[in-house]
Amino acid sequence: MTRVPLEEAAPTMTRVPLEEAAPTSFRRVVASTMAAAGQRRALKTALMQACEGQRLGAATDEAGRARIISLINQLKQLNPTARPAQSTKLLGTWRVVWTTESELLALTNSGLLGLPCQGASQTIGRTAAADERGAFD
């Protein structure tokens, strides 16, 4: 029996960076996904900055409203969640930072029983009716 050093017996492995090993189509998908994620982050930051100091929307002028709605529409186009209105990701309690809801804007402007509006939230939960309809499948 002849003994051969392990280095000589083992097949030679060449390490290739992932970028070179992955098919071009995969690299394009990854690059596109990362770019979209970066765009979403930038748009979310811009949207939150545009909503600052707007008193839930009560202090927003027409130009500010148009900017905020434009940012919201741009974010909608980049949403990676299929059927977002039916996603369980929507369930929970959300802090309202801006709205066009007239009743909430009136409450923000005039307060309630002489007390100023300090903020607003919305809780979205499951209901038996929604479960029957398959709203959150």
Side-chain angles (χ1 to χ4, degrees):
M1 182 156 120
T2 306
R3 293 185 181 208
V4 178
L6 183 60
E7 297 82 30
E8 293 175 23
T12 304
M13 283 183 41
T14 305
R15 292 182 183 219
V16 178
L18 180 60
E19 309 81 51
E20 294 174 23
T24 304
S25 59
F26 175 75
R27 289 196 310 260
R28 268 191 243 127
V29 168
V30 169
S32 174
T33 301
M34 290 175 65
Q39 283 181 295
R40 284 193 308 274
R41 272 192 302 279
L43 285 168
K44 287 177 188 178
T45 298
L47 178 59
M48 294 304 288
Q49 289 173 346
C51 292
E52 280 181 27
Q54 298 302 312
R55 296 182 39 243
L56 303 182
T60 307
D61 61 15
E62 284 303 313
R65 179 185 168 108
R67 168 130 173 84
I68 289 169
I69 290 172
S70 172
L71 290 166
I72 290 168
N73 287 332
Q74 290 175 64
L75 271 168
K76 275 200 262 187
Q77 297 301 313
L78 295 173
N79 189 346
T81 304
R83 299 179 5 207
Q86 297 172 327
S87 171
T88 56
K89 293 178 181 181
L90 192 58
L91 302 175
T93 299
W94 298 85
R95 180 175 59 98
V96 176
V97 294
W98 192 83
T99 186
T100 58
E101 180 62 41
S102 59
E103 289 84 358
L104 187 53
L105 294 176
L107 179 64
T108 301
N109 280 329
S110 59
L112 181 65
L113 302 173
L115 299 172
C117 177
Q118 298 293 315
S121 66
Q122 180 177 15
T123 300
I124 301 171
R126 294 183 96 111
T127 64
D131 285 343
E132 273 184 36
R133 289 191 321 268
F136 292 103
D137 289 340

